[in-house]
Each structure stands twice: as C-alpha cells, then as structure tokens.
Amino acid sequence: MAASPASIIAGIFVGLGVAAGGYFIGTGYYDAHMQNRVVSVKGLSERDVTADLAFWPLRFVSAGNDLSQVQGKIRDDAQAIRDFLGKYGFNEEDIHLQSPQVTDVAAQPYRSGPIENRFIISQLLMLRSENVEKVAEASRAASQLVEAGVILSSDMGPSQPVYLYKGLTDLKPEMLDEATARAREAAERFAADSGSKLGGIKRASQGVFQIQGRDQGPGMSESDQIEKTVRVVSSVDYFLKD
C-alpha cells in the first residue's frame, strides 16, 4: 500500500445495511502496533417476536373485624375471579391459588390509635397461560372484578400481566450465523476500500442476546409488551493483508 502504517486512519465507520429479519452495523480500525494490521467489526442481527407465555398475578384483599366474615369474603372473591377467568376460556390448570396471608392488626407491636379493620386477609391468584392474547383481553376487562366487589391490590407487586418469550434457544443459531455474516461483510468492504485483503480471524466474541420491548418509551418495559425484539451483536477482529 502507498501509505505507511503510521498514516493510516485510526478508526472509520464502515457501514449500515439492512438484511431480511435483521440489519448489521460495522465499525473498523487499524491496530498498527508492531505492524499488526487488524480491522474490528460488529455484526448485528435482530428478530421481531411475539410473547408465547403470560403470567397474570391477581392479588385481592378482604378486611373487617369479624374473622369468619373476612374469610368468607376472600373465598367468594377467589371464586369470582375463577368465574371471570373461565369466561375467557381459562381452566383450573391455568389458575394457581396461593395460601392466604392473615394479618391481625391488634396483635402488631407498637400499634397505636383506633382500629378500623382488625383482620386483613390477602391472597394471590396466579394465571399462567400460553394464550397471551386471551390474557391481554381478560386484563383489559379487569374492571369487571372491581365492579363485582373484588378489591384488587398491587401493594405486593405488579397487577398487570407479564409476557415472556420462550423461543430464544431456537433463534440463536440462525441469528449468530447472520450476525457473523454481517460482520464479515463489513470487514470485506473495509478491506476493499483500503486496498487490502481480508485475512484470518484474530479474535471473535459473541454478544449477549437481548430481548427488548418492540416499543421504547418512558414507563414502557419489555415484560409489559407482547411484541418484542431479539438482538445480538457479534464482534470479530480480522487480520488485513496486502
């Protein structure tokens, strides 16, 4: 090459392209230490996916001064939730009812002042289903439970469905191949632009697979969204030769 290693540009943006089901970015630079000419590139692969598992925690509360009445109310509320979910096609295998938690306010240490409700019982019903669209539909109608007298509480955690994607293992080989191919394409373009040829691999590393919500914005989390994006970045260092 006409230019000496000392005059070669330290870093250059290689390119940004679009590929089916994903896109790639590449960045390159020379490592001129001891005549070691290397280009470093990154290949990005992305896939849009749909959640295939949903969890909906429904915590409900009953309070009063008569323990038997409070217990009866919590049992009625549990059945009301079961009936509500049954209207959307969920069965007993989808519904997991945890043991109730009973609080006797009068027995709490350091208590002072009058007691409005001595006994408070809270219980968690967890809906687990692969029919994520039905879970989303049911959650949008949760106000029906409130209208029926069920007191839903979010004090102990989220009361909205959580959507997960379980198919990452099946996507990994294809996405890694694509990310690596995009990295090599970027390296070949850099080598051609610099009048060099691409040599062997000096170093390669696979990035961490990330699952993100399709929509990004304040207060929007990945677990709240049915539509998601899977991404991975592969980093590869190639030797360059004349």
Side-chain angles (χ1 to χ4, degrees):
M1 299 176 58
S4 66
S7 65
I8 298 175
I9 299 176
I12 183 170
F13 182 80
V14 175
L16 173 64
V18 178
Y23 63 93
F24 72 93
I25 54 174
T27 57
Y29 65 86
Y30 276 113
D31 179 1
H33 181 61
M34 298 181 65
Q35 308 301 314
N36 187 27
R37 298 167 56 222
V38 174
V39 60
S40 295
V41 290
K42 296 180 183 294
L44 171 63
S45 178
E46 289 189 336
R47 294 289 186 277
D48 290 330
V49 299
T50 300
D52 49 17
L53 179 63
F55 290 93
W56 186 15
L58 287 159
R59 184 175 294 277
F60 49 105
V61 180
S62 176
N65 292 310
D66 187 311
L67 181 58
S68 62
Q69 290 182 355
V70 177
Q71 290 174 323
K73 178 64 166 61
I74 208 75
R75 285 194 297 266
D76 291 344
D77 288 350
Q79 187 58 50
I81 297 175
R82 290 177 185 273
D83 294 342
F84 168 79
L85 295 176
K87 293 190 302 183
Y88 289 90
F90 300 112
N91 54 43
E92 288 300 316
E93 295 180 354
D94 303 319
I95 299 170
H96 307 274
L97 188 64
Q98 298 185 7
S99 300
Q101 297 179 340
V102 182
T103 301
D104 183 352
V105 179
Q108 291 181 337
Y110 312 112
R111 180 194 58 81
S112 62
I115 298 176
E116 181 178 357
N117 293 300
R118 176 179 174 179
F119 300 104
I120 301 174
I121 300 179
S122 64
Q123 195 163 17
L124 177 66
L125 185 151
M126 179 67 75
L127 176 67
R128 181 187 187 279
S129 176
E130 294 181 355
N131 193 337
V132 296
E133 294 295 343
K134 277 296 182 182
V135 174
E137 183 182 355
S139 70
R140 290 192 291 267
S143 60
Q144 295 178 17
L145 290 170
V146 179
E147 294 170 358
V150 178
I151 301 175
L152 298 176
S153 172
S154 60
D155 293 342
M156 301 296 292
S159 58
Q160 296 298 316
V162 173
Y163 302 104
L164 306 177
Y165 177 67
K166 303 189 284 81
L168 182 58
T169 301
D170 295 333
L171 282 182
K172 280 185 175 181
E174 178 185 338
M175 292 186 65
L176 285 174
D177 288 346
E178 182 178 73
T180 302
R182 300 288 78 78
R184 184 174 183 84
E185 184 177 341
E188 289 174 342
R189 181 177 301 180
F190 183 92
D193 290 345
S194 63
S196 304
K197 294 181 180 179
L198 204 61
I201 295 176
K202 177 184 179 182
R203 184 189 304 110
S205 63
Q206 170 195 323
V208 177
F209 276 85
Q210 296 179 322
I211 301 179
Q212 303 173 332
R214 182 189 62 184
D215 301 319
Q216 303 292 319
M220 302 177 68
S221 67
E222 173 267 322
S223 62
D224 295 335
Q225 300 182 43
I226 294 178
E227 302 301 327
K228 305 175 186 293
T229 298
V230 180
R231 73 191 306 267
V232 66
V233 176
S234 292
S235 300
V236 187
D237 294 350
Y238 288 95
F239 289 108
L240 293 178
K241 58 185 180 180
D242 293 333

